[in-house]
């Protein structure tokens, strides 16, 4: 069992909830604060970026993930997921939306929504919202069930909730998506039967798409996401309802995928990255993910596509909302409130 020490270098502070982060060519950082602010940091100095869409910063909603287009140096495109609000005869409805715009200095230009999840709901939680590009430039976006498990929306293909979506960089639908020829199905769906996936990470070497999601009370999951598969929520779960009632008596069913790992009690998993950097030899090839509930960074050792031992790192660091490995090889982590900060994990020593 290998271990490693890191020290924390604070690179941004005074935030409410740093939710997403993107690295630009040339070394600048772009990061979101859930309250609705977007920052560009250059040589350690943050500037607010103007032109962000209005967000519904209630409960779990707000300005969420951000990613740069793989060809950002040519097209300057940024992608931002957020909770979008509309007033329907005095009733506040919200949904998960994906906004695309060009970054010009500290302003967003020509911005538009390229994906808006349907249906809109009154619940201000379970937006999902993690964005990931694959090597082909396809964009994956997670959308939570909006706490609408009662009517099993995550199991139905006629809506966008409780799904992982795959779209082209302009919001159009790839022809090889699994449900494009299924009548009535939403054509952007890649996988379904999810609860609230706030993590998505593509393994840079294997191309495997890893996801973790919040279970109810217990039953948080780490899943290997495959095209067209059903991950079972709410028909199967290892968790129970918050009020102690059984949600489903089943933990397995024919035609539904099992998690690679589950957590009881719940960790509250949010951001996640796969370590490829030589700066962290003891962690290389492993998954690092945040625990909101227990306030540590969790390392899941992978052997091929199978999780092995786990290790708790940086205990009591705070509610870890995001974890990213930068192009500089360093790992960055964002924690919420008291106040929200972004840290760089700097290796101190490595022992075998």
């Amino acid at each position: 069992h290998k271990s490693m020490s890191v020290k924390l270098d604070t690179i941004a502070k005074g935030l409410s909830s740093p939710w997403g982060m993107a690295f630009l060519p040339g070394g600048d950082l772009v990061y979101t604060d859930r309250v609705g602010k977007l920052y560009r940091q250059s040589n350690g100095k943050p500037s607010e970026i103007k032109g962000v869409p209005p967000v519904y910063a209630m409960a779990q909603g707000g300005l969420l993930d951000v990613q740069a287009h793989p060809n950002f140096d040519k097209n300057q495109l940024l992608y931002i997921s957020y909770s979008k609000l509309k007033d329907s005869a005095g009733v506040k409805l919200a949904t998960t939306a994906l906004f695309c715009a060009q970054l010009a200095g500290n302003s967003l230009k020509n911005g538009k929504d390229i994906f808006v999840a349907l249906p809109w709901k009154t619940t201000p939680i379970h937006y999902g919202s993690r964005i990931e590009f694959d090597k082909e430039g396809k964009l994956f976006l997670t959308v939570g069930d909006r706490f609408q498990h009662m009517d099993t929306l995550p199991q139905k293909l006629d809506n966008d909730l409780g799904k992982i979506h795959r779209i082209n960089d302009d919001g159009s639908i790839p022809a090889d998506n699994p449900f494009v020829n299924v009548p009535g199905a939403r054509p952007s769906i890649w996988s379904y039967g999810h609860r609230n996936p706030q993590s998505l990470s593509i393994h840079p070497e294997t191309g495997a798409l890893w996801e973790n999601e919040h279970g109810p009370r217990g039953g948080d999951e780490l899943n290997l996401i495959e095209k067209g598969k059903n991950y079972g929520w709410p028909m199967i779960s290892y968790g129970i309802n918050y009020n102690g009632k059984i949600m489903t008596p089943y933990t397995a069913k024919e035609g539904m995928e099992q998690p690679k790992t589950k957590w009881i009690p719940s960790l509250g998993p949010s951001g996640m990255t796969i370590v490829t950097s030589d700066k962290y030899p003891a962690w290389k090839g492993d998954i690092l993910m945040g625990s909101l509930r227990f306030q540590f960074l969790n390392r899941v050792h992978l052997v091929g596509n199978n999780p092995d031992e786990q290790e708790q790192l940086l205990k009591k660091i705070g509610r870890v909302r995001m974890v990213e490995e930068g192009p500089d090889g360093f790992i960055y982590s964002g924690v919420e409130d008291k106040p929200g900060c972004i840290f760089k994990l700097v290796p101190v020593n490595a022992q075998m």
Side-chain angles (χ1 to χ4, degrees):
H1 291 281
K2 301 175 280 187
S3 68
M4 237 188 104
S5 306
V6 291
K7 66 178 173 53
L8 299 178
D9 182 3
T10 304
I11 63 155
K13 56 189 179 193
L15 303 165
S16 170
S17 173
W19 214 98
M21 166 187 261
F23 303 89
L24 304 184
D28 283 9
L29 289 178
V30 173
Y31 52 88
T32 63
D33 191 344
R34 193 181 60 74
V35 294
K37 294 190 186 307
L38 183 67
Y39 296 94
R40 179 177 191 160
Q41 187 148 318
S42 197
N43 299 320
K45 293 190 180 61
S47 312
E48 193 175 338
I49 296 173
K50 300 295 176 203
V52 173
V55 305
Y56 186 42
M58 272 285 294
Q60 293 171 0
L63 197 66
L64 301 169
D65 207 9
V66 57
Q67 286 289 347
H69 190 285
N71 296 324
F72 179 89
D73 49 355
K74 294 194 178 65
N75 60 28
Q76 283 76 54
L77 290 177
L78 278 186
Y79 293 78
I80 299 162
S81 62
Y82 71 104
S83 38
K84 186 176 176 74
L85 179 67
K86 79 172 173 186
D87 191 294
S88 174
V91 177
K92 283 186 166 156
L93 295 174
T95 194
T96 305
L98 183 67
F99 182 80
C100 175
Q102 279 182 303
L103 180 63
N106 293 326
S107 299
L108 294 177
K109 308 281 188 210
N110 307 318
K112 60 180 189 292
D113 288 332
I114 62 167
F115 178 92
V116 177
L118 297 176
W120 297 67
K121 290 288 177 183
T122 53
T123 42
I125 58 172
H126 290 201
Y127 293 100
S129 286
R130 212 50 87 170
I131 307 167
E132 188 82 346
F133 277 97
D134 70 7
K135 282 196 171 75
E136 283 74 57
K138 299 285 188 274
L139 185 153
F140 291 86
L141 173 71
T142 69
V143 176
D145 70 353
R146 304 298 310 291
F147 213 65
Q148 299 293 319
H149 48 270
M150 303 71 90
D151 48 11
T152 66
L153 287 184
Q155 285 294 313
K156 295 176 181 146
L157 297 174
D158 64 356
N159 70 89
D160 295 322
L161 309 186
K163 314 292 192 301
I164 295 174
H165 297 271
R166 177 181 181 251
I167 57 176
N168 294 317
D169 62 2
D170 61 355
S172 63
I173 304 296
D176 59 345
N177 269 8
F179 303 110
V180 281
N181 299 317
V182 176
R186 301 288 290 165
S188 56
I189 296 171
W190 184 253
S191 64
Y192 64 107
H194 300 290
R195 188 170 178 273
N196 190 24
Q198 289 186 339
S199 280
L200 206 55
S201 202
I202 291 175
H203 195 298
E205 279 136 31
T206 66
L209 182 63
W210 289 92
E211 170 255 27
N212 67 40
E213 64 185 74
H214 295 270
R217 235 171 82 185
D220 291 354
E221 296 180 357
L222 175 67
N223 290 303
L224 183 60
I225 301 298
E226 294 182 82
K227 177 180 182 174
K229 297 279 178 79
N230 178 358
Y231 289 80
W233 177 256
M235 311 311 284
I236 59 174
S237 177
Y238 288 91
I240 58 172
N241 209 347
Y242 295 110
N243 61 11
K245 288 203 171 73
I246 300 297
M247 307 202 67
T248 170
Y250 304 105
T251 54
K253 273 195 173 188
E254 190 73 25
M256 296 182 186
E257 302 304 303
Q258 283 291 305
K260 286 285 187 180
T261 289
K262 57 189 182 289
W263 290 276
I264 305 166
S266 294
L267 288 183
S270 192
M272 169 168 80
T273 197
I274 294 157
V275 183
T276 61
S277 168
D278 291 326
K279 294 185 192 299
Y280 310 90
W283 302 347
K284 197 166 180 181
D286 294 348
I287 289 174
L288 287 184
M289 47 177 267
S291 166
L292 294 167
R293 182 172 175 197
F294 294 119
Q295 306 194 0
F296 58 73
L297 200 58
N298 193 51
R299 178 175 73 90
V300 181
H301 180 55
L302 287 183
V303 179
N305 275 338
N306 291 301
D308 188 28
E309 83 236 24
Q310 300 186 38
E311 182 187 11
Q312 296 178 10
L313 309 164
L314 307 179
K315 289 181 186 167
K316 299 292 172 219
I317 182 180
R319 286 170 57 85
V320 181
R321 178 58 76 186
M322 65 175 182
V323 188
E324 295 282 354
E325 181 177 299
D328 58 4
F330 285 106
I331 291 161
Y332 294 80
S333 182
V335 301
E336 295 185 337
D337 293 329
K338 303 203 229 6
C341 297
I342 300 172
F343 301 110
K344 179 160 84 171
L345 277 57
V346 182
V348 180
N349 57 18
Q351 305 113 8
M352 293 308 285

